[in-house]
Amino acid sequence: MTFLELINDVLIRLRETQVSTNAETSYSTLIGKFVNDAKRQVEDAFSWNILGTDITITTVAATYQYALTGAGQKFQVQDAINSTANIGLTNISFVEMNRYQNFAITPAATIPSMYAFEGVNGSGDTKVTLYPRPDAVYSLRFSLTVPQATLAADGTSVLVPDVLVAQNAYARALAERGEDGGINSSEAYQLYRTMLSDYIALEGTRYPENQEFVAI
């Protein structure tokens, strides 16, 4: 469903008049806020395949810090590889990276095999620091789960399951509105949680990594 369709879906459930644009009334604007809040909660609940994206960094010799352009700050890392050297990249702590970069008289310069996240750039994208420092051009591919941008245009389609977003937004609208003789907000939210669990279980069956439990 599109942003506008989601708003109207919630309005119908509330027995309210549908709108032709998301900001047509103050109430449709409020429902739009609930839709975006619901979208974020659904996105946070699972590493949805549809939110997967690859961001490639092309290194320059001696430059060891880069921004993951377009990733923002709220993402999950599924994998990271050096596709030029055909090796995996290991995520290490900030403390380890800081010591690698500063304790050596001359930090190692060869094939990058480790990375750590360190701050953000002016655009709000997370920066990644590499070690060893690149000694040549390498292609580093980060496979991420990145949330969709906040819905604003009427015709923008939501990426995560739309029925979950609609049900969550409806529960939020009921909580704000109070009881009106229909389903109450607690019942609506419990229904959303059941639906969410079912969707996650279904999607999880397609990915073996989501079915493994590792002792730590």
Short mmCIF file of all heavy atoms in Angstrom, two decimals, residues 1 6 11 15 37-39 46 50-52 56 71 127 136 148 162 166 170 174 177 188 193-194 202:
data_model
loop_
_atom_site.label_atom_id
_atom_site.label_comp_id
_atom_site.label_asym_id
_atom_site.label_seq_id
_atom_site.Cartn_x
_atom_site.Cartn_y
_atom_site.Cartn_z
N MET A 1 0.83 -1.20 0.00
CA MET A 1 0.00 0.00 0.00
C MET A 1 0.87 1.26 0.00
O MET A 1 1.97 1.25 0.55
CB MET A 1 -0.91 0.02 1.23
CG MET A 1 -2.14 -0.88 1.12
SD MET A 1 -3.33 -0.60 2.46
CE MET A 1 -2.69 -1.74 3.67
N LEU A 6 -2.53 3.68 3.12
CA LEU A 6 -2.42 3.29 4.52
C LEU A 6 -3.23 4.22 5.42
O LEU A 6 -3.92 3.77 6.35
CB LEU A 6 -0.95 3.28 4.96
CG LEU A 6 -0.12 2.08 4.50
CD1 LEU A 6 1.36 2.37 4.66
CD2 LEU A 6 -0.51 0.83 5.28
N LEU A 11 -8.31 5.15 8.48
CA LEU A 11 -9.51 5.99 8.61
C LEU A 11 -10.78 5.16 8.45
O LEU A 11 -11.76 5.37 9.18
CB LEU A 11 -9.48 7.12 7.58
CG LEU A 11 -8.46 8.24 7.83
CD1 LEU A 11 -8.41 9.20 6.65
CD2 LEU A 11 -8.78 8.99 9.12
N ARG A 15 -13.96 4.37 11.05
CA ARG A 15 -15.25 4.86 10.55
C ARG A 15 -15.22 6.37 10.30
O ARG A 15 -16.16 7.10 10.60
CB ARG A 15 -16.38 4.48 11.53
CG ARG A 15 -16.51 2.97 11.73
CD ARG A 15 -17.68 2.61 12.63
NE ARG A 15 -17.51 3.08 14.01
CZ ARG A 15 -16.74 2.47 14.92
NH1 ARG A 15 -16.07 1.36 14.60
NH2 ARG A 15 -16.65 2.94 16.14
N ASP A 37 5.14 6.05 12.52
CA ASP A 37 5.59 5.44 13.78
C ASP A 37 5.46 3.92 13.69
O ASP A 37 6.35 3.17 14.15
CB ASP A 37 4.74 5.95 14.94
CG ASP A 37 5.02 7.41 15.28
OD1 ASP A 37 6.07 7.93 14.84
OD2 ASP A 37 4.20 8.02 15.98
N ALA A 38 4.35 3.46 13.12
CA ALA A 38 4.12 2.02 12.97
C ALA A 38 5.15 1.41 12.03
O ALA A 38 5.67 0.31 12.28
CB ALA A 38 2.70 1.78 12.44
N LYS A 39 5.45 2.10 10.95
CA LYS A 39 6.44 1.61 9.98
C LYS A 39 7.79 1.41 10.67
O LYS A 39 8.44 0.36 10.48
CB LYS A 39 6.59 2.60 8.82
CG LYS A 39 7.64 2.19 7.78
CD LYS A 39 7.86 3.28 6.75
CE LYS A 39 8.73 4.41 7.26
NZ LYS A 39 10.15 4.02 7.45
N PHE A 46 12.55 -6.80 12.88
CA PHE A 46 13.15 -7.92 12.18
C PHE A 46 14.02 -7.39 11.04
O PHE A 46 13.81 -6.28 10.55
CB PHE A 46 12.04 -8.83 11.61
CG PHE A 46 12.53 -10.12 11.02
CD1 PHE A 46 13.07 -11.11 11.82
CD2 PHE A 46 12.43 -10.36 9.66
CE1 PHE A 46 13.51 -12.32 11.27
CE2 PHE A 46 12.86 -11.56 9.10
CZ PHE A 46 13.40 -12.54 9.93
N ILE A 50 13.37 -7.29 2.34
CA ILE A 50 13.09 -6.22 1.38
C ILE A 50 13.86 -4.94 1.71
O ILE A 50 14.03 -4.06 0.86
CB ILE A 50 11.58 -5.94 1.32
CG1 ILE A 50 11.23 -5.15 0.04
CG2 ILE A 50 11.10 -5.20 2.56
CD1 ILE A 50 9.77 -5.10 -0.27
N LEU A 51 14.36 -4.83 2.93
CA LEU A 51 15.13 -3.64 3.33
C LEU A 51 16.63 -3.82 3.09
O LEU A 51 17.42 -2.94 3.38
CB LEU A 51 14.89 -3.32 4.81
CG LEU A 51 13.45 -2.99 5.21
CD1 LEU A 51 13.38 -2.70 6.71
CD2 LEU A 51 12.91 -1.81 4.41
N GLY A 52 17.00 -5.00 2.55
CA GLY A 52 18.41 -5.26 2.30
C GLY A 52 18.98 -4.42 1.17
O GLY A 52 18.33 -4.17 0.16
N THR A 56 28.84 -0.18 -1.44
CA THR A 56 30.23 -0.50 -1.79
C THR A 56 31.14 0.70 -1.56
O THR A 56 30.83 1.82 -1.97
CB THR A 56 30.33 -0.95 -3.26
OG1 THR A 56 29.53 -2.13 -3.45
CG2 THR A 56 31.77 -1.27 -3.63
N ALA A 71 23.44 4.92 4.26
CA ALA A 71 23.10 3.96 5.31
C ALA A 71 22.46 4.62 6.52
O ALA A 71 21.72 3.98 7.27
CB ALA A 71 24.33 3.18 5.75
N LYS A 127 30.32 6.45 9.68
CA LYS A 127 31.66 6.29 9.12
C LYS A 127 32.27 4.98 9.60
O LYS A 127 32.02 4.54 10.72
CB LYS A 127 32.56 7.47 9.53
CG LYS A 127 32.13 8.81 8.92
CD LYS A 127 33.16 9.89 9.14
CE LYS A 127 33.31 10.24 10.61
NZ LYS A 127 34.22 11.38 10.83
N ALA A 136 46.15 0.06 -1.57
CA ALA A 136 45.78 0.13 -2.99
C ALA A 136 44.26 0.30 -3.06
O ALA A 136 43.60 0.58 -2.06
CB ALA A 136 46.22 -1.16 -3.71
N GLN A 148 13.53 2.16 5.53
CA GLN A 148 13.03 3.06 4.50
C GLN A 148 12.90 4.46 5.08
O GLN A 148 12.62 4.65 6.26
CB GLN A 148 11.66 2.56 4.01
CG GLN A 148 11.05 3.37 2.88
CD GLN A 148 9.68 2.81 2.47
OE1 GLN A 148 9.12 1.94 3.14
NE2 GLN A 148 9.16 3.28 1.37
N ASP A 162 2.62 -4.24 4.56
CA ASP A 162 1.70 -3.12 4.78
C ASP A 162 0.58 -3.44 5.77
O ASP A 162 0.11 -2.56 6.48
CB ASP A 162 1.12 -2.63 3.45
CG ASP A 162 0.51 -3.74 2.61
OD1 ASP A 162 0.32 -4.86 3.11
OD2 ASP A 162 0.23 -3.48 1.41
N ALA A 166 -0.52 -1.07 8.88
CA ALA A 166 -1.90 -0.60 9.03
C ALA A 166 -2.47 -0.99 10.39
O ALA A 166 -3.10 -0.18 11.08
CB ALA A 166 -2.76 -1.16 7.91
N TYR A 170 -3.47 1.56 13.37
CA TYR A 170 -4.85 1.54 13.86
C TYR A 170 -4.86 1.44 15.39
O TYR A 170 -5.62 2.16 16.06
CB TYR A 170 -5.57 0.35 13.23
CG TYR A 170 -6.97 0.09 13.75
CD1 TYR A 170 -7.92 1.10 13.80
CD2 TYR A 170 -7.34 -1.19 14.19
CE1 TYR A 170 -9.21 0.86 14.28
CE2 TYR A 170 -8.61 -1.44 14.67
CZ TYR A 170 -9.55 -0.42 14.71
OH TYR A 170 -10.82 -0.66 15.18
N LEU A 174 -6.46 4.18 17.96
CA LEU A 174 -7.45 3.85 18.98
C LEU A 174 -6.99 4.32 20.36
O LEU A 174 -7.79 4.81 21.16
CB LEU A 174 -7.69 2.34 19.01
CG LEU A 174 -8.54 1.75 17.88
CD1 LEU A 174 -8.58 0.23 18.00
CD2 LEU A 174 -9.95 2.31 17.91
N ARG A 177 -7.52 8.01 20.52
CA ARG A 177 -8.93 8.40 20.42
C ARG A 177 -9.74 8.01 21.65
O ARG A 177 -10.67 8.71 22.05
CB ARG A 177 -9.52 7.74 19.18
CG ARG A 177 -10.97 8.05 18.88
CD ARG A 177 -11.33 7.41 17.56
NE ARG A 177 -12.67 7.69 17.15
CZ ARG A 177 -13.07 7.63 15.88
NH1 ARG A 177 -12.21 7.31 14.95
NH2 ARG A 177 -14.33 7.88 15.56
N ALA A 188 -6.44 -4.43 19.68
CA ALA A 188 -5.88 -4.15 18.36
C ALA A 188 -4.37 -4.36 18.36
O ALA A 188 -3.80 -4.90 17.40
CB ALA A 188 -6.22 -2.71 17.94
N ARG A 193 0.58 -7.78 17.28
CA ARG A 193 1.72 -8.60 17.73
C ARG A 193 1.61 -10.03 17.22
O ARG A 193 2.62 -10.64 16.84
CB ARG A 193 1.78 -8.58 19.26
CG ARG A 193 2.15 -7.23 19.84
CD ARG A 193 2.30 -7.28 21.35
NE ARG A 193 3.38 -8.18 21.75
CZ ARG A 193 3.71 -8.42 23.00
NH1 ARG A 193 3.04 -7.84 23.99
NH2 ARG A 193 4.70 -9.25 23.30
N THR A 194 0.40 -10.57 17.19
CA THR A 194 0.21 -11.92 16.66
C THR A 194 0.53 -11.97 15.17
O THR A 194 1.21 -12.89 14.69
CB THR A 194 -1.24 -12.39 16.89
OG1 THR A 194 -1.51 -12.38 18.30
CG2 THR A 194 -1.45 -13.79 16.35
N LEU A 202 7.27 -16.71 9.17
CA LEU A 202 7.20 -17.08 7.76
C LEU A 202 8.46 -16.66 7.01
O LEU A 202 9.05 -17.44 6.27
CB LEU A 202 5.96 -16.46 7.11
CG LEU A 202 5.74 -16.76 5.63
CD1 LEU A 202 5.55 -18.26 5.42
CD2 LEU A 202 4.52 -16.00 5.11
#
